[in-house]
Amino acid sequence: MIVVTKNSVTDERIGEIVAFIEKHGVKAHVSRGTDRTVIGIIGKADPVLAEQLRSMKGVEDVIRISKSYKLASRDFHPENTVIEIKGLRIGGDELVVMGGPCAVESPEQIDKIAYLVKAAGGQVLRGGAFKPRTGPYSFQGIGVEGLKWMREAADRYGLLTITEVMTPEYVEICARYSDMLQVGTRNMQNFDLLRKLGTVKNPVLLKRGFSATYDEWLNAAEYILAGGNPNVMLCERGIRTFETYTRNTLDLTAIPVIHQLSHLPVIADPSHGTGRRELVETMSKAAVAAGADGLIIEMHYDPDNSMTGDGVQSLFPDQFAALCRDLEKLAPLVGKRFDTAKAPAEAFAS
Ligand code: PEP
Ligand code: MN
């Protein structure tokens, strides 16, 4: 249930309405917008409470919400969430480009790629130190040492970082070394992990499970939000369909749908979404045209010798840089901005 207040309502009155709601054993969540304020009620609200609220001073309407997720829904929070971290605003008018290798392989490799990401205009360095591999004998990632190499490389060039965390026990250490944390497709419904991520403040990029519906995905986000971390981004990374030509089917429709259903920023991953390098550029632009707030893209200077199988979907550095230049032109058409001009000088200065 949500309570929509009248435009003219004062903060003091909102406080009184919240106190009234919470006296009934449910929690109230206030979301202040420019034209109206919405008070979401979390917990099972008595129908009598709805009637009482409807007749209270300052209340415009009381609406029942049947969705199982609340904090993630736009009904509860009508304005877009903008996540602010180290001067970067995700979900606002800035397009965010996260680039880097599938996996951190060595200090030299991550340093070189960090430089290339920065020089192209990207703001965030991606790279996995813990890799969720389909087979147990495949390379599983460098581990904590890789987190440190990535942090050093990112700091050298003034980039933020994002890395995957696979288990609740590793959340704290990953949160210490990385600005943002990624939940991989295979872990979207690892509820213990999601609950643990609710206890940190680092922004979390929640990838869509490759067979998850929008509803399941938003409920997974709800676990993190309900745990107390409001900084969640939703990442469309392709789903499994009958088509085998591509590794996955990038569901572009998810981007506008999730924007309708939720206030959280939406990021697209055209690398895992297609699994094919030659499709990454086109699908990156398509995702931005569809309203994505950012992209997460694999890039490697020597993809054929990369340590995971994802070299086939990694862009070469010149392709990544060319894509960034095109994104700079495309972004204003969808109300965003992306600036490559100042990047090279900053990168060289470091
Ligand atoms: C990755 O980003 O390298 C990765 C493993 O992604 P996903 O969870 O989408 O497969
Ligand atoms: Mn990968």
Side-chain angles (χ1 to χ4, degrees):
M1 192 157 78
I2 58 168
V3 178
V4 181
T5 64
K6 295 209 162 91
N7 283 350
S8 55
V9 84
T10 61
D11 285 357
E12 195 187 348
R13 185 67 192 141
I14 289 174
E16 287 163 5
I17 299 170
V18 166
F20 182 78
I21 293 169
E22 295 199 331
K23 239 180 29 203
H24 289 76
V26 283
K27 279 193 74 175
H29 179 271
V30 180
S31 171
R32 282 170 215 275
T34 37
D35 344 304
R36 58 179 203 161
T37 293
V38 168
I39 306 171
I41 300 179
I42 301 160
K44 200 157 168 43
D46 182 344
V48 178
L49 174 62
E51 284 321 307
Q52 287 170 321
L53 285 166
R54 193 165 278 127
S55 60
M56 278 177 90
K57 196 166 115 255
V59 172
E60 171 89 29
D61 204 0
V62 178
I63 305 165
R64 288 206 162 275
I65 305 289
S66 54
K67 296 186 182 93
S68 48
Y69 54 89
K70 312 278 182 212
L71 297 171
S73 97
R74 203 174 267 286
D75 300 326
F76 261 55
H77 191 296
E79 313 257 311
N80 285 342
T81 281
V82 179
I83 299 174
E84 295 206 43
I85 174 162
K86 293 187 175 172
L88 185 66
R89 299 180 84 242
I90 309 171
D93 61 0
E94 193 173 357
L95 181 72
V96 176
V97 175
M98 311 181 185
C102 183
V104 179
E105 298 170 9
S106 67
E108 295 73 30
Q109 175 246 20
I110 197 68
D111 178 87
K112 191 164 172 178
I113 295 179
Y115 169 78
L116 292 164
V117 170
K118 181 71 183 185
Q123 304 102 319
V124 182
L125 178 63
R126 65 143 289 151
F130 299 94
K131 295 303 303 176
R133 304 307 301 281
T134 301
Y137 309 119
S138 308
F139 170 62
Q140 305 284 313
I142 293 278
V144 176
E145 203 61 11
L147 296 176
K148 297 183 187 169
W149 299 339
M150 191 168 161
R151 179 77 269 158
E152 282 166 20
D155 287 348
R156 206 167 289 132
Y157 303 109
L159 291 166
L160 278 79
T161 58
I162 186 160
T163 200
E164 177 159 356
V165 57
M166 287 171 33
T167 60
E169 303 81 69
Y170 278 93
V171 166
E172 270 157 33
I173 190 132
C174 290
R176 191 171 333 138
Y177 287 106
S178 183
D179 299 305
M180 299 188 259
L181 303 173
Q182 172 179 327
V183 176
T185 192
R186 297 160 186 81
N187 269 319
M188 188 203 83
Q189 286 186 316
N190 179 341
F191 299 118
D192 287 341
L193 175 62
L194 301 177
R195 273 196 207 93
K196 182 75 186 171
L197 288 165
T199 68
V200 297
K201 287 284 167 264
N202 308 51
V204 176
L205 179 122
L206 177 64
K207 287 202 169 189
R208 179 183 183 184
F210 53 68
S211 298
T213 62
Y214 300 148
D215 195 77
E216 288 163 337
W217 188 15
L218 290 165
N219 269 294
E222 189 79 8
Y223 271 86
I224 306 172
L225 299 169
N229 184 350
N231 303 317
V232 178
M233 300 166 260
L234 296 162
C235 176
E236 165 58 40
R237 53 75 71 199
I239 50 173
R240 185 161 286 180
T241 67
F242 54 81
E243 184 55 73
T244 54
Y245 181 83
T246 46
R247 180 175 177 185
N248 291 290
T249 297
L250 186 69
D251 177 14
L252 285 176
T253 310
I255 300 168
V257 172
I258 296 298
H259 275 315
Q260 268 170 33
L261 297 176
S262 179
H263 51 94
L264 298 171
V266 179
I267 308 293
D269 176 348
S271 306
H272 296 86
T274 62
R276 299 176 76 114
R277 178 182 303 130
E278 74 275 16
L279 298 175
V280 170
E281 182 198 331
T282 310
M283 297 315 285
S284 295
K285 293 177 188 168
V288 171
D293 296 296
L295 299 166
I296 181 162
I297 299 171
E298 290 189 343
M299 183 256 275
H300 202 297
Y301 55 88
D302 185 13
D304 291 347
N305 292 305
S306 69
M307 286 165 87
T308 66
D310 288 1
V312 290
Q313 66 192 31
S314 296
L315 292 185
F316 288 103
D318 59 336
Q319 293 176 314
F320 182 79
L323 171 61
C324 286
R325 285 194 295 277
D326 283 353
L327 292 174
E328 185 168 18
K329 288 182 242 154
L330 176 59
L333 298 178
V334 286
K336 300 253 182 219
R337 64 193 160 73
F338 180 68
D339 189 5
T340 61
K342 65 180 191 320
E346 278 176 18
F348 282 108
S350 310

